[in-house]
Amino acid sequence: MDHRVGPGGPRVPEQRRPGSPEEPAALRFDVLGPVRARRGAEQLSTGSPQQRALLAALLLREGRTATAGELIDALWGEEPPSQALAAVRTYASRLRKVLDPGVLVSESGGYAVRGLGEGVLDLAVAQEWAAEAEKARGSGDLGRAREGLNRVLGLWDGEALAGVPGPYAEAQRVRLEEWRLGLLESRLDLDLELGCHAEAVSELTALTAAHPLRERLRELLMLALYRSGRQAEALAVYADTRRLLAEELGVDPRAGLRELQRRILQADPELAEPSTPVAEPARSAVRPAQLPATVPDFTGRAPFVRQLGEVLASAEGRVMAVSALAGIGGVGKTTLAVHVAHQARPVFPDGQLYVDLQGTGPRAAEPETVLGSFLRALGTADSAIPDSLAERAALYRSVLDGRRVLVLLDNARDAAQIRPLLPGTAGCAALITSRVRMVDLAGAHLVDLDVMSPDEALSLFTRIVGEERVAAERKAALDVVAACGFLPLAIRIAASRLAARRTWTVSVLAAKLADERRRLDELQAGDLAVKATFELGYGQLEPAQARAFRLLGLADGPDISLAAAAAVLDLPVDDTEDLLESLVDTSLLESAAPGRYRFHDLVRLYARACAERDEHPADRRDEALSRLLDFYLATAAGVYALERPGDRLVNHLERTEHPGLAFSDRASARDWLYTEADCLLACARQGAGRPGTLHRAVDLLWTVHDISESGANSREYEATAKALLEAARAAAVVPRTEARALMTSAHTHLDGGRFDTADQEAEQAIRLAHAADDLLTACWARNARGVIALYQGRNSDGEEHLSQALEHFRTLGDRPGEASALCNLSRIHLATGSTRGAVALAQEGMEIYDGLGNSMRGANGRYALGMALTQSGRLDAAAERLLEALQVFRDSRQRLWEGMTLFRLAEVDLAGRQYRQAAANAEMALTVLRGIGGDWRRANVLTVLGHALTGVGQTGRAQVCWQEAVRVYEDLGSPEAAALRALLSPARAT
């Protein structure tokens, strides 16, 4: 019995190298698995095992001739049959009939396979891809190298030369398997180099169990565990390895493994997760020389410097090189452009022109005026400068002909303003900055400049403030640059203020910027001010654009979809899109992805300030946010109904005025839910602050509970549930709202393993729900109390709660609730030894879910049934149900239940004495449950992992797992501690 589950689900062999479109019927051969021959999509018959052995021997010679004697030795070794030569000839004749003419040829008393060109033999493809991966690694492109090795390893379809007899095939199998393991070790090494240590632990655990004497795998496992914060387990792996090598081979671990143990014991900082250093910008090595001075503390932007430098350097061979930088005010467009222009001066020995076009001001510079200035700088006398724009532009181009001049056009309003200013001749180049993307500027190289990375931002702050002050308060410095939204202008202002105030600490500045309502006022120094920069852009907006800018800034989410924005603005989607795209063109709004938009953090604060100042009456602001909450609740309710057919919650939600989206299938509904997760939670939290929206905010949180179990948003969901509960208690609203807030909060504590708190809140929810005549909430709260009692070993209490919940669900006609209570009662029966009853109850619950078409909760039914079948000894059936559940949970992105199902599969494997696979599934469960499910569930998994590791002989590591589990159980006061403590060795039990 082998219930293997890969990181993304049961492995399906991938389609390997489809034939090219030009040669759909080309022959292809496989040896990295069963020996196969294919013509296009058709698999050819390669005959008996000996006949396949002959084909394999010829394929592995890669076109070289094999004599008859060599083939006989390959197939039969030292004891060939008397008719061996005749058999070889027969096999060759049969293969000729199957293969294309001219492929298998007779030559010099032997045979050869010809035509093994590119892509024909999977082994040759693997060798080529492996060489490419090694080359990528040597050049420092670790991501491409890792991807390449994964492609190579994906070519294997089980054991190489599977089922092929003969000594030659056996020797080649050993060689190819050794090569595969070497490739796998290289790929795992890259995993660790790229920071994927936690994910690698599960695979390495299984591999070390399968290849216990392979020290390199043990070394990688130790390093992966250490980088995952599991130092004790890493050292236990070494101890297990040393014991195993001594017992099996009578040797000590090799020097590399011993050195790694020493470094782990000393907590060598160089063993920490590697970081990829940011490449330093390549510094390029000049009559007008009009460029402004570059800033001495220019920091970061290395990719842009390199990219723009390459474009400018190509000017000599092009009609004209034009690069246009666009971005929000204060993002550093001018600073970058001036810096790049200075670096490019040697490429333009005939001069550099510069002008500030005042594009964001009330009166932008006129092209005629600019051309007059440029012509004078190029040596044209005033009397020779014509009056009209067209004549000046023509003369400008004539003067530049044959010269190599760089023109920096800063702060442009639009493409129409700059077209007359472009040189248009070979050897010249133009560099443009603007808040507007120059999409209508033909042939321009467009660059969208975003804010700095955190490392770049901290580096800029440090260069201005000084290394000593920042090093002493690094965390506060990170808070400052984050409060500045990593916007270079804001960072420069903040750093300059701090540098001018020697009595301030970095923490003082961080505290001042922490107040969002005062932040923009704090970000000004001398004639520099972030707010003034934004004001220039806002002042140029049309009334409809300005209204959209103000109202969209009110929403708390990290971004906003087009449909949600339409709800905020109360406009049709097409009109909304036109407005939002026009705001993107002004760089006051960013297009995060097709159909999604976001503000820079400081721009959002400015938009809110504008809303408070300009949006009157104030009710308009509340109405906009109310429409957004309606939109999210109506859409989430539709998603909930699709995912849970028959669930009565959708009939008991607060009424909404604004419609939501409708989905035709679960996949698109689920995609919407997880895409909008952050925005949904932000909207719910924002609704907690307004009594008129608190009821709907609580209902919204209930309908999106699935995102809590996904793991990606569990902490945010829990924080939102806490905020809504506090708001409901403080507002003293109707009991129903508080009851539902308590119920959602109780679920977060239940998911996190905080059972006492969960039980208290569920009990309060029941009392308030009955007072509000909200039977549905009371049912789900009782259901939760039953599960909590089960986890705490209070089985009689659990049965009472669940039986009442079952009765009330049936009264309401809530079939999914009924199925949930049945499945939970099944687990109570398991805990009390009534296995047959447990199987029947879980089966009944699962059938209800299936009858409703409720696939996701049907997976919960399969989970319960799998547990019951495991305890009844029906392990194959249990694994089948659990694997079905696992696939659904993965498809539904339910990380909590995915991890718990892997844990239950490990229990099945353990019961079937499949220790290696039990360890692999338990390790995967630990990885999936990182940050979700709480310590109690983690301790349960560690317990099973310890048993599995004991089964594969890794007793030292098993003891570490059990010791950690005991500590968790004791901290929680869980009864499991006593039984597990008995398994610990005397040295670890104290």
Side-chain angles (χ1 to χ4, degrees):
M1 193 168 39
D2 187 2
H3 309 121
R4 296 183 183 171
V5 184
R11 183 183 185 277
V12 178
E14 62 178 308
Q15 181 70 32
R16 301 176 306 184
R17 303 184 330 277
S20 68
E22 294 77 16
E23 299 179 352
L27 274 176
R28 298 284 186 270
F29 296 100
D30 299 334
V31 294
L32 300 179
V35 175
R36 301 190 186 99
R38 291 176 287 118
R39 183 181 290 110
E42 176 192 5
Q43 183 166 319
L44 306 179
S45 172
T46 51
S48 67
Q50 283 78 14
Q51 189 168 306
R52 292 198 302 277
L54 175 69
L55 177 60
L58 295 174
L59 289 171
L60 291 172
R61 287 178 178 266
E62 300 180 3
R64 300 188 304 277
T65 301
T67 66
E70 288 173 334
L71 291 173
I72 290 171
D73 287 343
L75 269 64
W76 293 286
E78 296 179 357
E79 298 181 359
S82 58
Q83 300 298 315
L85 180 59
V88 166
R89 290 171 177 165
T90 300
Y91 298 152
S93 175
R94 290 173 180 170
L95 286 170
R96 265 201 207 97
K97 294 176 183 177
V98 174
L99 306 178
D100 292 346
V103 173
L104 198 160
V105 298
S106 301
E107 189 174 85
S108 304
Y111 298 93
V113 171
R114 301 294 191 217
L116 293 179
E118 183 178 352
V120 173
L121 179 64
D122 62 352
L123 175 58
V125 172
Q127 291 167 336
E128 179 184 350
W129 288 355
E132 290 174 359
E134 184 61 32
K135 183 178 179 181
R137 185 171 190 173
S139 67
D141 192 346
L142 303 187
R144 189 159 65 88
R146 179 194 189 200
E147 180 183 352
L149 288 176
N150 273 325
R151 290 173 67 207
V152 176
L153 292 166
L155 291 175
W156 262 266
D157 186 11
E159 183 183 49
L161 306 174
V164 174
Y168 178 79
E170 181 58 34
Q172 291 300 313
R173 254 193 302 274
V174 172
R175 177 180 72 85
L176 291 172
E177 176 61 10
E178 180 63 27
W179 185 48
R180 186 188 72 84
L181 286 171
L183 292 171
L184 189 54
E185 287 171 346
S186 295
R187 208 245 28 238
L188 286 161
D189 191 25
L190 286 170
D191 287 349
L192 301 190
E193 284 295 308
L194 291 167
C196 301
H197 36 266
E199 293 82 353
V201 169
S202 173
E203 187 174 2
L204 282 164
T205 296
L207 286 169
T208 53
H211 306 280
L213 298 177
R214 200 168 181 97
E215 291 183 67
R216 178 57 179 156
L217 289 173
R218 298 272 183 156
E219 185 177 346
L220 290 169
L221 177 57
M222 287 173 66
L223 187 56
L225 286 166
Y226 178 73
R227 288 182 177 169
S228 300
R230 298 160 70 175
Q231 180 183 18
E233 285 187 66
L235 294 170
V237 169
Y238 179 82
D240 287 338
T241 305
R242 185 175 61 180
R243 175 185 53 77
L244 182 67
L245 290 173
E247 291 174 355
E248 297 290 330
L249 304 177
V251 298
D252 290 328
R254 60 185 178 84
L257 206 58
R258 297 198 303 272
E259 175 65 12
L260 179 59
Q261 186 225 19
R262 182 190 66 77
R263 295 175 70 188
I264 291 175
L265 285 169
Q266 295 177 352
D268 187 342
E270 292 186 6
L271 285 182
E273 180 180 352
S275 59
T276 303
V278 178
E280 288 296 319
R283 300 192 65 83
S284 308
V286 219
R287 104 220 177 255
Q290 298 183 340
L291 295 177
T294 187
V295 294
D297 49 22
F298 182 86
T299 303
R301 305 299 201 190
F304 293 109
V305 171
R306 182 170 56 251
Q307 180 188 133
L308 291 168
E310 290 171 355
V311 173
L312 294 179
S314 69
E316 185 175 3
R318 301 168 58 181
V319 172
M320 177 180 54
V322 179
S323 292
L325 285 71
I328 185 178
V331 80
K333 301 181 294 295
T334 298
T335 302
L336 173 62
V338 169
H339 181 79
V340 170
H342 273 282
Q343 287 198 340
R345 287 174 69 186
V347 182
F348 303 98
D350 297 317
Q352 304 86 39
L353 297 168
Y354 171 85
V355 64
D356 180 356
L357 293 170
Q358 301 290 319
T360 55
R363 296 188 61 181
E366 295 294 340
E368 297 97 317
T369 306
V370 175
L371 284 170
S373 175
F374 280 177
L375 287 168
R376 292 184 192 94
L378 291 166
T380 306
D382 284 351
S383 59
I385 298 175
D387 293 332
S388 72
L389 173 61
E391 289 175 315
R392 288 188 177 190
L395 178 59
Y396 170 63
R397 291 191 293 271
S398 299
V399 170
L400 289 176
D401 186 37
R403 298 191 185 188
R404 294 174 63 186
V405 174
L406 172 63
V407 183
L408 177 47
L409 304 172
D410 192 20
N411 196 14
R413 179 183 57 202
D414 52 31
Q417 184 189 26
I418 65 169
R419 283 194 187 97
L421 309 179
L422 299 177
T425 55
C428 292
L431 193 55
I432 305 157
T433 74
S434 176
R435 296 191 185 186
V436 177
R437 295 190 80 241
M438 299 288 177
V439 293
D440 51 348
L441 191 61
H445 170 70
L446 303 182
V447 176
D448 292 317
L449 195 59
D450 203 349
V451 296
M452 287 181 148
S453 69
D455 287 343
E456 288 177 332
L458 184 62
S459 179
L460 173 60
F461 185 78
T462 302
R463 293 187 70 171
I464 299 171
V465 172
E467 180 72 39
E468 185 177 346
R469 295 176 77 182
V470 173
E473 297 182 90
R474 180 178 173 82
K475 183 180 183 305
L478 289 170
D479 290 341
V480 169
V481 296
C484 292
F486 308 110
L487 189 71
L489 175 62
I491 295 166
R492 186 172 293 281
I493 292 172
S496 298
R497 291 189 68 195
L498 184 60
R501 291 163 174 80
R502 303 304 300 177
T503 59
W504 281 15
T505 62
V506 183
S507 299
V508 168
L509 179 60
K512 287 178 174 292
L513 295 176
D515 183 355
E516 288 190 352
R517 299 186 66 85
R518 293 267 318 148
R519 187 176 298 167
L520 289 175
D521 295 327
E522 294 288 347
L523 289 173
Q524 53 185 336
D527 61 350
L528 293 178
V530 171
K531 185 187 293 186
T533 299
F534 298 157
E535 191 73 51
L536 289 171
Y538 178 67
Q540 293 186 332
L541 297 179
E542 297 293 332
Q545 293 175 311
R547 173 182 178 267
F549 176 74
R550 294 191 299 267
L551 293 183
L552 290 175
L554 296 172
D556 272 351
D559 63 359
I560 193 166
S561 69
L562 179 58
V568 171
L569 302 180
D570 200 18
L571 291 173
V573 170
D574 290 344
D575 294 347
T576 301
E577 184 173 22
D578 291 342
L579 279 173
L580 269 55
E581 288 297 327
S582 70
L583 289 174
V584 170
D585 289 339
T586 66
S587 295
L588 285 172
L589 191 66
E590 301 172 17
S591 180
R596 299 199 73 82
Y597 301 88
R598 69 185 176 206
F599 283 105
H600 181 272
D601 291 346
L602 296 179
V603 177
R604 184 197 300 276
L605 294 179
Y606 176 72
R608 290 183 176 178
C610 290
E612 292 181 4
R613 182 188 68 196
D614 301 336
E615 197 66 36
H616 298 294
D619 288 350
R620 291 180 182 173
R621 303 197 292 270
D622 292 337
E623 289 167 1
L625 291 175
S626 181
R627 288 192 297 270
L628 179 64
L629 179 55
D630 271 3
F631 167 78
Y632 282 142
L633 177 55
T635 308
V639 173
Y640 189 95
L642 270 177
E643 289 281 18
R644 294 171 175 77
D647 196 304
R648 297 297 303 278
L649 174 62
V650 291
N651 304 118
H652 296 269
L653 297 172
E654 283 288 317
R655 184 169 165 272
T656 58
E657 300 292 336
H658 198 284
L661 298 175
F663 301 99
S664 58
D665 61 272
R666 290 175 181 169
S668 56
R670 195 178 298 137
D671 286 343
W672 178 88
L673 179 67
Y674 290 107
T675 299
E676 296 289 351
D678 288 328
C679 296
L680 291 166
L681 296 177
C683 185
R685 284 194 299 273
Q686 206 166 8
R690 303 190 309 281
T693 56
L694 179 57
H695 315 292
R696 282 175 287 157
V698 170
D699 277 356
L700 174 61
L701 194 63
W702 188 345
T703 59
V704 300
H705 179 252
D706 286 347
I707 62 180
S708 170
E709 296 180 346
S710 72
N713 301 91
S714 301
R715 291 182 181 177
E716 294 84 352
Y717 187 96
E718 183 177 334
T720 305
K722 180 180 179 181
L724 288 173
L725 178 56
E726 290 173 351
R729 284 172 167 165
V733 292
V734 295
R736 191 181 91 155
T737 300
E738 186 176 348
R740 293 189 172 195
L742 279 162
M743 208 264 316
T744 54
S745 179
H747 269 296
T748 66
H749 293 301
L750 176 56
D751 291 344
R754 298 177 296 276
F755 302 132
D756 288 340
T757 305
D759 194 49
Q760 292 168 11
E761 292 186 349
E763 184 179 20
Q764 294 173 40
I766 293 171
R767 178 174 50 79
L768 287 170
H770 282 302
D773 198 24
D774 185 4
L775 187 56
L776 183 67
T777 300
C779 286
W780 284 110
R782 285 200 181 279
N783 196 50
R785 291 199 74 192
V787 173
I788 294 164
L790 166 70
Y791 289 162
Q792 293 185 323
R794 297 182 288 106
N795 296 322
S796 59
D797 290 345
E799 185 168 13
E800 179 182 353
H801 290 308
L802 290 168
S803 297
Q804 291 180 16
L806 178 62
E807 179 185 347
H808 292 149
F809 277 131
R810 284 172 171 166
T811 300
L812 285 170
D814 191 316
R815 297 281 282 163
E818 178 185 348
S820 176
L822 286 168
C823 291
N824 290 329
L825 273 171
S826 164
R827 297 180 63 180
I828 293 286
H829 279 241
L830 273 185
T832 56
S834 179
T835 307
R836 181 178 298 178
V839 171
L841 286 167
Q843 184 75 38
E844 184 181 357
M846 186 184 75
E847 288 172 356
I848 291 175
Y849 283 133
D850 289 349
L852 294 168
N854 194 331
S855 60
M856 186 165 71
R857 290 308 160 202
N860 288 111
R862 283 162 172 75
Y863 175 91
L865 182 56
M867 290 178 62
L869 291 170
T870 301
Q871 196 156 319
S872 67
R874 296 158 61 184
L875 301 184
D876 286 337
E880 187 176 351
R881 296 289 83 75
L882 289 169
L883 286 170
E884 290 169 355
L886 181 64
Q887 190 59 54
V888 174
F889 289 139
R890 279 179 169 159
D891 291 344
S892 303
R893 299 173 233 187
Q894 295 291 293
R895 263 186 54 206
L896 173 62
W897 289 107
E898 177 189 348
M900 291 306 298
T901 307
L902 287 166
F903 164 60
R904 298 304 178 188
L905 279 166
E907 289 185 323
V908 174
D909 292 322
L910 200 60
R913 298 180 182 275
Q914 299 292 318
Y915 300 118
R916 184 190 307 168
Q917 193 55 41
N921 279 332
E923 279 288 1
M924 278 194 287
L926 285 175
T927 299
V928 172
L929 291 173
R930 261 200 329 247
I932 187 173
D935 288 342
W936 180 76
R937 290 182 176 87
R938 180 170 172 273
N940 290 344
V941 180
L942 284 169
T943 301
V944 168
L945 177 58
H947 287 296
L949 291 171
T950 300
V952 297
Q954 297 186 21
T955 54
R957 191 173 158 205
Q959 290 282 314
V960 171
C961 292
W962 286 338
Q963 188 177 29
E964 174 65 13
V966 166
R967 185 190 64 75
V968 171
Y969 288 143
E970 288 177 343
D971 287 347
L972 296 174
S974 298
E976 294 93 337
L980 189 56
R981 196 182 299 107
L983 297 175
L984 292 175
S985 62
R988 294 185 183 270
T990 57

